[in-house]
Amino acid sequence: MIVLRTRFTDTFGIEHPVVCGGMTGVGTAELISAVANAGGLGFLTALTQPTPEALVAEIARCREMTDKPFGVNLTLLPTVTPVPYDDYRAAIIDSGITIVETAGSNPQEHVAAFKAAGIKVIHKAVAVRHAIKAQSMGVDAVSIDGFECAGHPGNEDIPGLILIPAAARVLDIPIIASGGFATGDGLAAALALGACAINMGTRFVASDEAPVHPNVKAQIVANDERQTILVFREFRNTARVARNSVSETIAALSARPDATFSDVAHLASGVRGRTEVLKKGNMEGGMWWAGQSQGLIDAVLPCKTIISDIVSDAEAAIRRIAADLA
């Protein structure tokens, strides 16, 4: 029997090399505790909570649902309304969280504060140079996002098959492969490419415990790998989202020569997507996030089953490869 123990599992005290990274509107206690109880590492999403005080309460709620390790994601992005990042950071530290995932803009100030508090930090990067910079800040691991991912894959279109080994060549810290992962074969491939774990978002949205409308989960299962679209490229903020009438309209309006983000802001509103799609299940009601891994997802399952199947399938893939090479 193969035991998938890696530098990631050893560093973070986790049973399986499987991560559920931060997802706005989705990373709540119901999902993250289920991932933790299944032996993976999940991240509550700080900015899903309306205030730092609400985040403290959500952390406490998650602790009531699991005694396994979990973390908090703090995503740093430009916003119309300023976010009190320092207050969210203080809430994380004061709550005794031991693992944080940072993403978005340069996290140096926050990394320094988290490390001073004895917190392990994972930074999510979309380019090797950004990963190198994060390593120089003292982060404990890097999650590297390939072009296949949901969310913001950067503007250089480098897929995981290239990005993961390119990062592994130059980094000394553990690498989490992100973007396009939903199966055990993918986990085995990520390990072969030099990663120590995989990060999955879309796969965990299509789980029993994800706090989204059943229509969203059913749509992910029904969609194939072609049912995503890139938006915001014209504004140097490329994002991969699910293909629907809203995202197609955003893409069309953005392609106009004189387009500005204000032309599509009402359609791209995160509040609209979370309310109309994730909560109400109106699949044409707003823009929502999904990756190309939709094409590999064929059932809505409990997190425990998702993780155990992926690990056992990865072990089987490794045995199969070894047997073929014997």
Side-chain angles (χ1 to χ4, degrees):
M1 177 180 178
I2 298 171
V3 178
L4 295 183
R5 178 176 174 178
T6 70
R7 289 178 65 199
F8 165 78
T9 59
D10 287 349
T11 299
F12 294 95
I14 305 302
E15 184 179 357
H16 301 305
V18 178
V19 177
C20 175
M23 293 185 283
T24 302
V26 183
T28 62
E30 287 80 6
L31 175 60
I32 301 313
S33 64
V35 171
N37 287 331
L41 177 60
F43 289 91
L44 295 174
T45 312
L47 301 188
T48 293
Q49 303 304 319
T51 65
E53 293 76 18
L55 175 59
V56 171
E58 189 70 2
I59 291 169
R61 197 165 72 91
C62 197
R63 285 193 172 124
E64 292 175 354
M65 301 167 75
T66 184
D67 59 0
K68 302 286 185 67
F70 66 90
V72 175
N73 163 280
L74 186 64
T75 297
L76 312 165
L77 292 173
T79 57
V80 175
T81 303
V83 174
Y85 285 113
D86 290 355
D87 293 340
Y88 276 99
R89 184 183 71 208
I92 293 167
I93 293 172
D94 293 346
S95 294
I97 288 294
T98 60
I99 308 171
V100 165
E101 178 188 63
T102 57
S105 304
N106 188 325
Q108 186 157 6
E109 173 190 353
H110 301 286
V111 170
F114 288 134
K115 295 298 292 182
I119 297 172
K120 290 185 171 69
V121 179
I122 299 169
H123 183 63
K124 185 175 287 188
V126 297
V128 173
R129 64 186 183 278
H130 298 157
I132 293 172
K133 177 65 174 177
Q135 178 174 263
S136 74
M137 295 177 195
V139 304
D140 299 275
V142 167
S143 181
I144 194 87
D145 270 6
F147 184 56
E148 306 92 335
C149 73
H152 296 278
N155 298 302
E156 296 173 351
D157 302 358
I158 310 297
L161 192 61
I162 304 300
L163 192 60
I164 298 162
R169 286 184 174 188
V170 296
L171 295 176
D172 300 318
I173 55 178
I175 297 168
I176 302 164
S178 182
F181 293 100
T183 66
D185 287 348
L187 173 54
L191 297 175
L193 292 171
C196 299
I198 57 170
N199 174 61
M200 302 189 301
T202 305
R203 171 66 273 194
F204 281 122
V205 177
S207 69
D208 286 351
E209 297 87 352
V212 301
H213 196 280
N215 289 356
V216 178
K217 304 176 187 186
Q219 191 67 60
I220 290 172
V221 171
N223 283 351
D224 63 23
E225 66 279 3
R226 299 169 298 173
Q227 298 307 310
T228 70
I229 188 170
L230 296 176
V231 296
F232 309 152
R233 170 143 293 190
E234 296 82 358
F235 315 126
R236 300 290 299 169
N237 189 29
T238 302
R240 185 180 298 282
V241 301
R243 184 182 294 274
N244 66 2
S245 59
V246 174
S247 58
E248 288 179 336
T249 299
I250 291 171
L253 292 174
S254 301
R256 294 177 177 178
D258 57 350
T260 65
F261 184 74
S262 61
D263 297 328
V264 300
H266 64 294
L267 296 171
S269 164
V271 173
R272 173 176 173 170
R274 290 189 294 273
T275 301
E276 294 300 319
V277 181
L278 299 188
K279 183 177 180 180
K280 296 182 180 179
N282 176 7
M283 301 314 298
E284 300 296 326
M287 188 186 79
W288 60 287
W289 306 85
Q292 292 180 325
S293 61
Q294 289 180 115
L296 304 176
I297 299 168
D298 55 15
V300 178
L301 298 168
C303 288
K304 183 175 180 60
T305 302
I306 290 171
I307 291 178
S308 62
D309 284 356
I310 283 175
V311 171
S312 62
D313 288 350
E315 293 172 345
I318 293 168
R319 287 194 298 269
R320 184 177 69 246
I321 293 167
D324 287 345
L325 295 175

